[in-house]
Amino acid sequence: MVTLVPELTMELTNLFNWLKQPRRITLLTHVRPDGDAIGSALAMKMYLEKKGHTANVIAPDDFPDFLDWMPGSKQVYIHQRNRKTCFAILTQSDAIFFLDFNAIKRIEALGEDVMKLTRPYVSVMIDHHREPDNFTDYRLWNDHASSTAELVYTFMEMAGDIHLLDQDMAACIYAGIALDTGIFQYSNTTAHVHAIAGKLMEYGIKVDRIHNDLYNQYGENRIRFIGYLLSQKLQIIPAYRAAYMSITMAEAEQYKLSIGDKEGIVNLPLAMKDIDIAVLFTEDKGKVKMSLRSKGDVNVEILARNFFNGGGHMNASGGSSKQSLEDTIKTFEEVLPKFYAMPEANTNQ
Ligand code: 5GP
Ligand code: MN
């Protein structure tokens, strides 16, 4: 069972006391928010509102359509499209919660607005990514937690408020956990995770429906695009048990890909028995976004952090490069031997 650092628990008691008065609270997620980020933020919003607070969610940019079913998703403010309103909300905040990320740079332009705030506010990080920056008053952080959604559940439990859970909150938390554990298959799937999922099911959530809403939402374009990528773009580097694919801006346009259409594609090469690392390079304006995944003891967080200005988890990380797509791929091929020479590259060494 995951246990939390005792001092943090003590500190959080002060936060729980502060939250006995109604407060105006803003919940922020990381850029390109995923289901754990949005699910955590929406569950937290519902919980805080039940406690008598005013709560708003701001995401830096759009989230995938397959999260639209989440209760409250329509009320999420998108900073990139509504910067003025978002700034007005921020300036009126008594507290800001940072959910599913642990460095201000992970919210890009939204972070610049947060830095401009002159009125004091209480700051809280709830996160499970490695190597957190120290920029908040409070944190509920544990890199052994499966997901931020699991930590939102823990937050409510520690506050003595688990009785406030309802079906809508349970669905958002369940979805966050399901997505970040690859539907209960990755090594972050602990007995504790299953116990929480079991408790959430007692609130009447329909797991088959949640799975259908999350995973069976492909358009024809996406399924054909995956076929194209796997047949035409997959590259294998057998010596390093690595596979990669890339998506150019022209391909994204040709196949009319929306944000959610790229989700999960990076994992596909890991189904090969001789592959331990899979990378997806996505060309964007002025940069290349990278998704990195690994199996077993191979630590792609080290690869993302040391060579691609990123981070995340041991088996699932992200990063970016300002080089062209071609040069980024070249750099990747060049740094692979350097990465494997690092003692931290393989946690079993
Ligand atoms: P994805 O590949 O799905 O975008 O991200 C995989 C994991 O790495 C997620 O937990 C995500 O939050 C994290 N991540 C993605 N991009 C970055 C990045 O640029 N920097 C850091 N520190 N983490 C990232
Ligand atoms: Mn997460």
Side-chain angles (χ1 to χ4, degrees):
M1 170 151 164
V2 176
T3 49
L4 295 156
V5 184
E7 303 85 64
L8 293 182
T9 310
M10 286 265 292
E11 260 183 46
L12 282 176
T13 309
N14 296 335
L15 174 63
F16 297 144
N17 283 332
W18 185 80
L19 286 170
K20 285 186 176 150
Q21 307 288 325
R23 310 286 186 185
R24 287 169 299 183
I25 300 169
T26 305
L27 309 165
L28 308 183
T29 75
H30 55 78
V31 286
R32 291 176 292 278
D34 57 8
D36 185 32
I38 297 295
S40 297
L42 293 175
M44 200 69 195
K45 173 177 153 72
M46 289 185 258
Y47 160 62
L48 292 169
E49 285 173 346
K50 276 197 175 178
K51 295 276 286 178
H53 305 292
T54 306
N56 287 298
V57 178
I58 301 179
D61 48 12
D62 285 308
F63 54 85
D65 292 351
F66 61 76
L67 301 176
D68 285 351
W69 62 271
M70 285 186 170
S73 67
K74 303 225 169 9
Q75 286 140 40
V76 175
Y77 291 92
I78 305 294
H79 181 255
Q80 197 179 54
R81 287 198 273 118
N82 215 345
R83 198 159 173 171
K84 261 197 188 145
T85 308
C86 290
F87 192 65
I89 293 168
L90 284 171
T91 54
Q92 288 162 24
S93 306
D94 301 317
I96 299 180
F97 280 52
F98 300 85
L99 297 174
D100 202 36
F101 66 100
N102 60 30
I104 284 284
K105 71 167 189 188
R106 290 282 289 135
I107 51 174
E108 298 178 2
L110 175 56
E112 289 163 24
D113 281 0
V114 170
M115 295 300 195
K116 284 184 203 147
L117 297 175
T118 48
R119 190 169 167 273
Y121 59 89
V122 167
S123 53
V124 184
M125 175 201 296
I126 303 182
D127 179 57
H128 68 129
H129 293 92
R130 294 166 76 118
E131 308 280 341
D133 281 355
N134 195 0
F135 66 98
T136 54
D137 303 319
Y138 297 101
R139 52 157 98 147
L140 177 58
W141 176 86
N142 190 328
D143 65 345
H144 294 294
S146 64
S147 52
T148 299
E150 176 187 332
L151 292 175
V152 166
Y153 183 95
T154 305
F155 187 95
M156 291 178 64
E157 211 171 32
M158 289 167 82
D161 285 335
I162 217 67
H163 61 281
L164 293 178
L165 253 184
D166 60 24
Q167 191 174 331
D168 281 352
M169 287 149 83
C172 289
I173 294 174
Y174 180 90
I177 294 174
L179 286 162
D180 266 25
T181 56
I183 325 183
F184 307 96
Q185 65 171 305
Y186 304 143
S187 60
N188 59 358
T189 310
T190 57
H192 187 54
V193 164
H194 278 298
I196 292 176
K199 284 187 191 145
L200 294 172
M201 287 184 72
E202 288 171 11
Y203 289 85
I205 57 171
K206 305 273 181 290
V207 295
D208 56 337
R209 205 168 139 187
I210 293 176
H211 286 244
N212 192 49
D213 286 346
L214 292 175
Y215 290 101
N216 302 332
Q217 298 300 322
Y218 291 14
E220 182 185 340
N221 64 325
R222 189 190 186 207
I223 206 103
R224 291 198 186 281
F225 179 65
I226 290 173
Y228 162 73
L229 270 189
L230 292 177
S231 67
Q232 307 297 314
K233 302 293 298 276
L234 180 67
Q235 300 290 331
I236 304 215
I237 312 172
Y240 295 107
R241 301 178 63 83
Y244 67 83
M245 297 183 283
S246 63
I247 306 175
T248 64
M249 285 195 282
E251 286 163 339
E253 191 163 325
Q254 187 193 339
Y255 281 89
K256 302 201 177 355
L257 300 183
S258 58
I259 312 165
D261 288 338
K262 294 169 202 155
E263 204 85 9
I265 287 177
V266 59
N267 293 298
L268 297 172
L270 287 185
M272 284 182 285
K273 65 179 176 354
D274 294 326
I275 294 299
D276 290 334
I277 293 187
V279 180
L280 180 70
F281 300 89
T282 309
E283 187 185 38
D284 202 349
K285 288 186 202 90
K287 68 172 173 191
V288 175
K289 164 84 185 96
M290 291 171 65
S291 280
L292 303 95
R293 301 290 186 271
S294 65
K295 288 198 292 226
D297 302 322
V298 178
N299 189 346
V300 283
E301 199 265 346
I302 294 296
L303 180 57
R305 175 174 300 280
N306 286 283
F307 302 104
F308 298 104
N309 190 35
H313 311 285
M314 183 177 128
N315 295 130
S317 283
S320 60
S321 152
K322 294 255 186 279
Q323 293 182 297
S324 67
L325 181 58
E326 225 170 60
D327 288 347
T328 304
I329 292 172
K330 219 184 211 170
T331 301
F332 169 70
E333 291 187 345
E334 280 164 16
V335 302
L336 266 183
K338 291 184 201 153
F339 162 68
Y340 270 112
M342 296 171 77
E344 314 94 295
N346 192 312
T347 53
N348 198 24
Q349 274 172 1

